[in-house]
Amino acid sequence: MRFFIVPGHRVVTGGDFTLNDLSGSTGRLDILLRCVNSAFFLSNSIRQDVELYLVLLGQPEPPKTVKFVGSELRYLNPDERSTAALVRSALMKRCEGEWARSTPGIYVARKGFDEILAECAGRAGEIFHLREGGQDMRDAEFAAADNAFVLGDQYDLTAGEEEAVARFKNRALSLGQKSMHTDHCITIVNNALDRACR
Amino acid sequence: MRFFIVPGHRVVTGGDFTLNDLSGSTGRLDILLRCVNSAFFLSNSIRQDVELYLVLLGQPEPPKTVKFVGSELRYLNPDERSTAALVRSALMKRCEGEWARSTPGIYVARKGFDEILAECAGRAGEIFHLREGGQDMRDAEFAAADNAFVLGDQYDLTAGEEEAVARFKNRALSLGQKSMHTDHCITIVNNALDRACR
């Protein structure tokens, strides 16, 4: 299994937003929507072995996490607008500390970064932090079948988030010399793992 | 220079569409919008060394090509909706066989696949056709600094398009065993070239 964890440092935690201004009024939810696309889509199928955790930290109810489970997903299309509608439905659902199912494969809970990290660490062999200066992923070996990948959104991880990662078995990975968008990094990680496992 | 050429086999060639239904009423323009994102965006900049050609083949005025020139681009944002607005502006512009400038870095002309291929072949050392069964890109050597990459949209190249490619110095490349979306392929090609050139 591949777990991707992406904090949305300013992304809204309520469903009161319009689908017509996703990059303006949502605290850059659009960035995370593109991560959904790159985490799950193959040419004619959905990746069954991926789970994606979007940890939303903006107003009005931070923190809140939207979880996508590849093996259960239905109604997911590649465009930003329809994915935003699914996230909005999840954010409109009443939830507490346990996962509540919104639509098939999409769950929501009032969980923050540390809690999500602990959940994934309990199921993954290692946590990989994607960032500049890490070991080149092409040279990395993946001892376990299940791995978690933590990526920043348009902001790096905060000091507190880095400390949370450091509490678990972890390694910093990079994908080359150029700094890329989060969704592009997920695409490249998926492709690298596909190749490593063939 | 990197040239990316993507035919939109059913994508509309007129600007009479709504931004609220990009994956429904435009012949899947949304697929090509994601290619614009992956061709040009780095974390905090636009790739200056990329040109992207979207060859639109749907109604009402096929063929028509929208060209993006990285070194001249302004007003480009990563989300699908705002990129769609730029493409719509280009498609609303009156044009004939020569490139007409729509907004900075974006041009439109009544040119088809063969003509675009010839234009790019004249400036690139080789034309690479991304498809299943090609040589793995990781093992490929790029003799020239300037290369053109041809990718299908949700459809493979037609027999006629394949014949057009075969008229030039060309090679088939693949990116692994799994079949991926076009925009994901562009992301991986960009990353592979970044690494090859460091």
Side-chain angles (χ1 to χ4, degrees), chain A:
Chain A
M1 190 68 72
R2 305 171 189 177
F3 306 97
F4 291 104
I5 304 167
V6 186
H9 288 106
R10 299 195 180 175
V11 176
V12 295
T13 43
D16 181 25
F17 58 82
T18 167
L19 300 178
N20 293 340
D21 185 27
L22 293 170
S23 58
S25 60
T26 63
R28 297 305 306 274
L29 175 61
D30 65 308
I31 292 172
L32 302 190
L33 299 172
R34 289 189 287 279
C35 292
V36 177
N37 175 304
S38 57
F40 290 106
F41 279 99
L42 285 168
S43 204
N44 291 301
S45 61
I46 298 278
R47 291 180 182 273
Q48 305 287 304
D49 58 345
V50 168
E51 293 186 9
L52 170 67
Y53 296 79
L54 304 179
V55 185
L56 314 186
L57 300 169
Q59 294 303 317
E61 298 184 299
K64 205 182 261 186
T65 295
V66 182
K67 172 171 76 164
F68 296 74
V69 179
S71 59
E72 301 174 19
L73 278 172
R74 299 284 180 279
Y75 318 129
L76 185 69
N77 287 302
D79 66 293
E80 291 171 14
R81 187 184 177 92
S82 66
T83 304
L86 293 173
V87 171
R88 189 170 64 173
S89 293
L91 293 179
M92 282 173 158
K93 193 168 176 67
R94 183 184 299 270
C95 70
E96 297 300 332
E98 296 305 312
W99 295 113
R101 183 175 171 280
S102 171
T103 47
I106 303 183
Y107 299 81
V108 62
R110 294 180 66 95
K111 294 178 190 273
F113 186 78
D114 292 18
E115 202 172 348
I116 295 301
L117 208 58
E119 275 194 29
C120 292
R123 300 171 62 199
E126 198 167 354
I127 292 184
F128 295 92
H129 176 192
L130 274 286
R131 70 168 179 200
E132 292 164 52
Q135 179 190 22
D136 193 316
M137 186 168 176
R138 286 200 183 170
D139 304 326
E141 289 185 10
F142 297 91
D146 300 325
N147 296 292
F149 298 86
V150 179
L151 304 93
D153 56 350
Q154 78 271 43
Y155 305 106
D156 291 335
L157 295 192
T158 64
E161 288 163 349
E162 294 224 1
E163 281 170 24
V165 171
R167 280 183 218 119
F168 301 97
K169 183 181 179 189
N170 75 90
R171 218 188 310 172
L173 285 185
S174 74
L175 302 173
Q177 297 299 307
K178 297 199 176 176
S179 182
M180 291 178 290
H181 281 196
T182 313
D183 60 314
H184 297 173
C185 292
I186 291 175
T187 296
I188 293 166
V189 168
N190 264 332
N191 181 246
L193 289 177
D194 289 347
R195 288 161 172 275
C197 302
R198 66 178 165 179

Side-chain angles (χ1 to χ4, degrees), chain B residues 51-145:
Chain B
E51 292 185 10
L52 170 67
Y53 296 77
L54 304 179
V55 185
L56 314 185
L57 300 169
Q59 293 303 316
E61 294 185 305
K64 203 183 261 188
T65 295
V66 182
K67 170 170 79 162
F68 296 73
V69 180
S71 60
E72 300 174 20
L73 278 172
R74 300 285 179 280
Y75 319 128
L76 184 69
N77 287 302
D79 66 293
E80 291 171 12
R81 187 183 177 93
S82 67
T83 304
L86 293 173
V87 171
R88 189 170 65 174
S89 292
L91 293 178
M92 282 175 158
K93 193 168 177 68
R94 181 185 299 270
C95 68
E96 297 299 331
E98 296 305 312
W99 294 113
R101 182 175 172 280
S102 172
T103 47
I106 303 182
Y107 299 80
V108 62
R110 294 181 65 97
K111 295 177 189 272
F113 185 79
D114 292 19
E115 201 171 348
I116 295 301
L117 207 59
E119 275 195 29
C120 291
R123 299 171 62 199
E126 198 166 354
I127 291 183
F128 295 91
H129 175 192
L130 273 286
R131 70 168 178 201
E132 292 164 53
Q135 179 190 22
D136 192 317
M137 187 169 176
R138 285 200 183 168
D139 305 326
E141 288 185 10
F142 297 91

Side-chain angles (χ1 to χ4, degrees), chain B residues 131-160:
Chain B
R131 70 168 178 201
E132 292 164 53
Q135 179 190 22
D136 192 317
M137 187 169 176
R138 285 200 183 168
D139 305 326
E141 288 185 10
F142 297 91
D146 301 323
N147 295 292
F149 297 86
V150 179
L151 303 94
D153 56 351
Q154 77 272 44
Y155 306 106
D156 291 335
L157 296 192
T158 64

